[in-house]
Amino acid sequence: MTEYEAVIGLEIHTQLKTKSKIFCGCSTEFGNNPNSNICPVCTGQPGALPVLNKEVVNLAIRCGLVLDCTINKKSVFARKNYFYPDLPKAYQISQFDLPVTQNGFVNVVLPDGTEKRIGITRAHLEEDAGKLVHQGAEGIEGATSSHVDLNRSSVPLLEIVSEPDIRSAEEARAYLEKIKSILQFADISEANMEEGQLRCDANVSIRPIGQKEFGVKAEIKNMNSFRAVEKAIKIEIDRQKQVLSSGKKVIQETRSYDEASGKTVSMRSKEESHDYRYFPEPDLLPLIIDDAWIAQIKKDLPELAEQRIARYQEAYGISAYDARVLTLDKAVSDFFDTTAKLYSGDKKTIVNWLTTDILGYLKNENLEIGQTKLTPQNLVEMLGLIDNKTISGKIAKDLIGKMIATGESAKKLVESTGMQQITDENEIQKIVQEVIDANPKQLEQYRSGKTALKGYFVGETMKRTKGKASPQVVNQLLDKLLG
Ligand SMILES: [Zn+2]
């Protein structure tokens, strides 16, 4: 049996965080009424001329800097010709042989903790297309009418193309997460996948281990979550292995990932760049960037993830691993920063709650922290209740899920559900005594030297109090009563 390895490169389209579009003054706001943010330029009317938005270039330079790319002093816009109903000009203004920035890299921490450098081939500017809305039955096939919404047309995008350095679906996900984090921290993009601000295509091929030449690749489109990217690539690698091991050949094509069936489906044979008949955009001058402009952008860079990681380790004594987990998502890191300012106890306590219970909950529910009602104030209040022994850590673990789901304050939830910890020694002593009386056999064994059975009595007491007894008090009482 031939052993194969995967060769993967990602093309990430990210929406730059500007108020207006790339070549006109129309708003980029998401969720407005269809065709309310449009003008002659972004709807491709004859004679309308594009004017480059300076803020778009600022953000492209910033992205080049944080991805360790070369910023090209001269780059050129090019027309990419193709027809699609949501593209009224029948061409997209993009960049081709002279992108604004190229030749960079990012260091990605893989799930096993090792670090890997992934090369960035280039990042180029382009405009987005509009959106088709199909009405009627589900899917294009059953639609009774189709409409075009051009609000997205000419929204500024930066396409970040990686080198084919990625070797597994897990690595692809880790790389995408890293890029998202970089874009958010550097304030280049909100990188919200649900709003289409971060989209990703994957070029996937496989080759026998040890072979240098690349295999034939398929491009996978239509993946709109980290989970989908990881799953789609895994499925595609398996599909190609099956094709090759059955003696057939992988063909170069574009495939779409169908989340419902968990399959990739052929869309069309893959176009080559010459199919697009690129040529320099005659309505725009070459983009010239001088050193002073780059220096200015460098000076104004916000605190990046790497700097936050260092700050967390230094100021709070947090491990490098935890600091990295906290900074995978800027919203989580901001949440931590606010909580740390409000909470006077050990900041590592916040880290524990955030990285295990809270992020675990979000992962299970496929939510981002900003989509929940949990606030730093609520979390600090809950930590206070643990610190003053109103609730046990175990009860807090049940509480946190309710707090995230409802946005209710910890105090209110504790009062309304009677989850207060029992700290009254007399009350606990009564229950401990009941447990001892109910288990004479275990008591005898304990007294004859099997002291490990203490854990059994602790467990029984906690069961009877539904986890509400203070474990500390239970332990002290057992030491006294077991003799
Ligand atoms: Zn416009």
Side-chain angles (χ1 to χ4, degrees), residues 24 26 38-39 42:
C24 62
C26 293
I38 56 171
C39 74
C42 57

Side-chain angles (χ1 to χ4, degrees), residues 159-444:
E159 179 174 340
I160 302 166
V161 182
S162 85
E163 289 289 300
D165 290 344
I166 301 164
R167 291 289 169 271
S168 71
E170 293 80 11
E171 279 184 23
R173 180 183 179 141
Y175 165 76
L176 183 59
E177 284 177 341
K178 177 76 184 191
I179 292 286
K180 180 189 174 182
S181 153
I182 289 173
L183 293 170
Q184 288 181 333
F185 279 97
D187 220 13
I188 293 164
S189 171
E190 286 178 29
N192 181 335
M193 286 186 107
E194 295 215 323
E195 292 184 7
Q197 293 167 348
L198 191 72
R199 286 170 277 162
C200 168
D201 304 330
N203 287 302
V204 180
S205 65
I206 60 171
R207 65 183 172 192
I209 288 177
Q211 179 182 303
K212 272 209 157 157
E213 303 83 64
F214 294 142
V216 176
K217 67 182 177 186
E219 185 180 12
I220 319 298
K221 288 192 178 287
N222 219 5
M223 304 173 290
N224 39 28
S225 68
F226 291 123
R227 200 183 287 195
V229 168
E230 190 176 343
K231 214 170 152 208
I233 292 175
K234 216 172 255 170
I235 288 164
E236 179 59 18
I237 293 170
D238 286 345
R239 184 190 71 85
Q240 292 187 13
K241 279 182 188 166
Q242 268 176 13
V243 169
L244 292 186
S245 58
S246 66
K248 293 182 196 140
K249 278 183 180 160
V250 174
I251 46 171
Q252 181 163 339
E253 62 182 348
T254 302
R255 298 180 72 86
S256 166
Y257 173 58
D258 180 34
E259 190 140 29
S261 68
K263 282 184 176 162
T264 65
V265 204
S266 179
M267 283 169 82
R268 53 179 186 260
S269 64
K270 169 75 182 161
E271 347 27 36
E272 300 283 351
S273 61
H274 60 247
D275 292 331
Y276 292 114
R277 298 291 189 274
Y278 281 98
F279 64 85
E281 167 59 55
D283 291 336
L284 287 166
L285 289 167
L287 171 59
I288 307 295
I289 298 171
D290 60 17
D291 289 330
W293 194 352
I294 298 172
Q296 184 60 41
I297 301 291
K298 208 177 218 167
K299 212 179 97 222
D300 296 339
L301 274 182
E303 187 188 36
L304 303 176
E306 296 303 320
Q307 291 161 316
R308 280 203 197 193
I309 289 171
R311 174 162 67 80
Y312 290 166
Q313 288 175 266
E314 239 166 71
Y316 304 137
I318 294 166
S319 74
Y321 177 82
D322 282 338
R324 242 182 247 127
V325 174
L326 284 178
T327 50
L328 274 178
D329 185 64
K330 179 163 186 280
V332 171
S333 175
D334 288 344
F335 188 98
F336 172 73
D337 274 336
T338 313
T339 313
K341 272 190 205 125
L342 295 169
Y343 181 61
S344 53
D346 188 348
K347 315 297 183 210
K348 282 187 222 157
T349 312
I350 308 171
V351 179
N352 288 338
W353 281 97
L354 255 177
T355 55
T356 55
D357 296 87
I358 298 172
L359 290 185
Y361 180 95
L362 297 177
K363 198 174 173 197
N364 275 338
E365 302 289 321
N366 212 7
L367 286 172
E368 312 251 350
I369 200 159
Q371 295 172 306
T372 73
K373 294 172 179 161
L374 185 70
T375 63
Q377 288 77 8
N378 282 355
L379 181 59
V380 169
E381 191 185 277
M382 188 196 83
L383 297 177
L385 292 178
I386 302 172
D387 291 344
N388 69 21
K389 301 201 166 44
T390 305
I391 56 172
S392 65
K394 190 168 176 293
I395 284 179
K397 280 188 186 291
D398 293 335
L399 195 62
I400 193 80
K402 294 192 180 89
M403 287 168 58
I404 298 173
T406 64
E408 203 61 86
S409 88
K411 268 188 189 142
K412 234 178 170 175
L413 280 170
V414 168
E415 278 162 19
S416 65
T417 52
M419 287 191 283
Q420 291 100 319
Q421 183 162 237
I422 310 168
T423 46
D424 180 352
E425 232 184 276
N426 291 331
E427 200 180 326
I428 299 177
Q429 178 157 347
K430 224 179 89 200
I431 300 162
V432 169
Q433 194 59 56
E434 281 170 20
V435 168
I436 294 174
D437 292 346
N439 296 285
K441 224 167 91 190
Q442 283 80 357
L443 179 64
E444 203 191 306

Side-chain angles (χ1 to χ4, degrees), residues 21 23-27 37-43 150 153-154:
K21 294 184 179 180
F23 300 123
C24 62
C26 293
S27 167
N37 301 331
I38 56 171
C39 74
V41 177
C42 57
T43 55
L150 295 175
S153 175
S154 278

Side-chain angles (χ1 to χ4, degrees), residues 441-454 457 482-483:
K441 224 167 91 190
Q442 283 80 357
L443 179 64
E444 203 191 306
Q445 289 175 334
Y446 177 88
R447 288 193 169 147
S448 63
K450 228 174 152 190
T451 52
L453 273 169
K454 185 181 164 195
F457 289 103
L482 286 171

